[in-house]
Amino acid sequence: MRTELEAAVADALRAPSVHNSQPWCWRISDDEVRLYADEQRHLIATDPDRRDLVLSCGAALHHLRVALAARDLAADVHRLPDPEDRTHLATVTVSRAPHGGDPAVAALYPAIAARRSDRRRMSRRPIPADHLQTLVQQAAHHGATLVPVTHPARRQQLLAVIAEAERLLHEQPGYAGELWSWTHRFPGSHDGVPASHVATPTSGTLNLSPLRQFGAAGLAQAPWLPGQGRGDDAAELLVVTTTGDEVIDHITAGEATSAVLLAATALGHATTPLSQALEIDSTRLRVRRDILHVPEHPQLVVRVGWPATGAPALPATPRRDLRSVLLD
């Protein structure tokens, strides 16, 4: 079984993470996988309270569960198993499923290889209501609530808050250098956000952009088509929320985010995780109090839409290999 576990962990390495920092380590035995946060990859200026780090690891944990189900393996997950080791986020005990893996979970497996963080303009074709409901159900199944911000006025508010958070982040000491570090990686580093995955700015749009300002952009936008007109795309902004705001809730948010992203990909949508507004205390409060009007805690914004017509498929972002993330 160990060979299958190694293959499943290799699939989990495709999970999204803040700045593609891949802040995780794994320990594999014959029937168990342990997930650890790699605090050497903690983005201190961007993510001072480790929210993004843990959420990223939660997404990898869900990717692992999907990969195991696809191999007809059952997973018993124990989150935060060691109160004296805050880096040990989960232990997954694995067994051969007598009737096969969970089919609903395993169905998401092909989306692991297909999912990308797409920072380009999306289509003006609206997302069907039943697709949004599917994504809401995915989040609920994993212990979180997904709140679509579809009302035009509230959507505009959310865009303004994201833009304000972007401004505040750039004023924080160390943020600009940290961002530069993760967008100008040395050859062979297999992480970070290369210019080839940052889209050139669009023109003629009416709204503020929710995308993080990564710097150098080498990814072309899809061409405007005759009769298409210019203006904003129809991508929806969805907010992942949890009842609490502790480490266990950040893990839950990561797992739910992974489920939403993979389900959206399976439906044919492009997706972009957006964390800026939740990395600043003041803007996180504004999202919760002034936009969502809910008691739950917002953890991440997910942008979902149809890919723009004529947009070529995105290549995969660089990833570290399995050997570099395994602990003895």
Side-chain angles (χ1 to χ4, degrees):
M1 186 185 292
R2 184 184 176 93
T3 299
E4 291 175 289
L5 297 188
E6 290 179 351
V9 171
D11 286 329
L13 304 186
R14 299 299 320 165
S17 59
V18 58
H19 294 6
N20 193 27
S21 55
Q22 304 167 49
W24 44 62
C25 294
W26 307 80
R27 179 171 282 122
I28 302 174
S29 63
D30 290 340
D31 62 351
E32 186 178 87
V33 177
R34 295 187 180 189
L35 169 62
Y36 296 85
D38 184 349
E39 299 207 329
Q40 294 184 1
R41 290 175 169 262
H42 176 203
L43 280 62
I44 297 174
T46 303
D47 179 32
D49 60 3
R50 299 171 75 247
R51 181 188 307 271
D52 289 346
L53 181 151
V54 174
L55 199 150
S56 299
C57 290
L61 175 60
H62 178 262
H63 269 49
L64 174 68
R65 292 167 57 195
V66 171
L68 292 172
R71 291 173 169 84
D72 290 335
L73 297 173
D76 181 20
V77 183
H78 186 190
R79 297 163 185 82
L80 301 180
D82 186 351
E84 296 186 357
D85 183 358
R86 73 171 190 168
T87 69
H88 188 182
L89 299 181
T91 294
V92 183
T93 304
V94 182
S95 59
R96 187 71 59 187
H99 304 293
D102 186 327
V105 177
L108 297 176
Y109 180 70
I112 288 180
R115 186 207 62 82
R116 304 285 188 267
S117 292
D118 196 335
R119 301 177 179 90
R120 298 172 293 185
R121 173 178 54 83
M122 295 184 185
S123 171
R124 298 181 71 187
R125 175 186 171 194
I127 298 178
D130 62 321
H131 285 201
L132 288 178
Q133 185 58 30
T134 295
L135 302 184
V136 169
Q137 291 170 350
Q138 282 287 344
H141 182 69
H142 292 84
T145 301
L146 186 68
V147 184
V149 182
T150 56
H151 189 280
R154 290 191 181 178
R155 174 187 168 86
Q156 192 62 29
Q157 277 184 290
L158 180 55
L159 288 168
V161 170
I162 292 173
E164 173 69 5
E166 185 81 25
R167 182 186 68 79
L168 292 173
L169 282 166
H170 279 273
E171 292 179 356
Q172 292 195 165
Y175 176 79
E178 193 171 73
L179 186 64
W180 191 95
S181 172
W182 287 96
T183 53
H184 296 77
R185 306 299 282 169
F186 292 112
S189 61
H190 303 297
D191 54 15
V193 183
S196 60
H197 287 72
V198 179
T200 55
T202 57
S203 60
T205 58
L206 302 175
N207 276 331
L208 298 165
S209 171
L211 301 178
R212 195 188 294 268
Q213 299 170 18
F214 279 109
L219 180 62
Q221 299 282 359
W224 294 102
L225 300 179
Q228 184 182 43
R230 292 179 179 267
D232 305 299
D233 61 29
E236 299 286 3
L237 299 179
L238 320 174
V239 183
V240 178
T241 70
T242 55
T243 54
D245 198 28
E246 303 298 328
V247 173
I248 188 65
D249 302 294
H250 302 162
I251 296 174
T252 295
E255 294 181 80
T257 295
S258 170
V260 169
L261 294 174
L262 294 180
T265 300
L267 290 169
H269 295 296
T271 60
T272 324
L274 304 166
S275 56
Q276 310 96 296
L278 295 315
E279 291 164 356
I280 301 289
D281 290 343
S282 60
T283 54
R284 187 166 64 251
L285 177 61
R286 287 175 60 190
V287 171
R288 179 188 186 191
R289 182 191 61 196
D290 302 335
I291 299 172
L292 302 184
H293 304 291
V294 296
E296 290 80 18
H297 297 266
Q299 303 293 351
L300 192 76
V301 178
V302 180
R303 174 176 173 252
V304 180
W306 295 107
T309 302
L314 284 174
T317 48
R319 300 287 160 155
R320 296 190 291 164
D321 62 29
L322 181 62
R323 291 172 299 174
S324 66
V325 299
L326 289 183
L327 300 173
D328 295 333

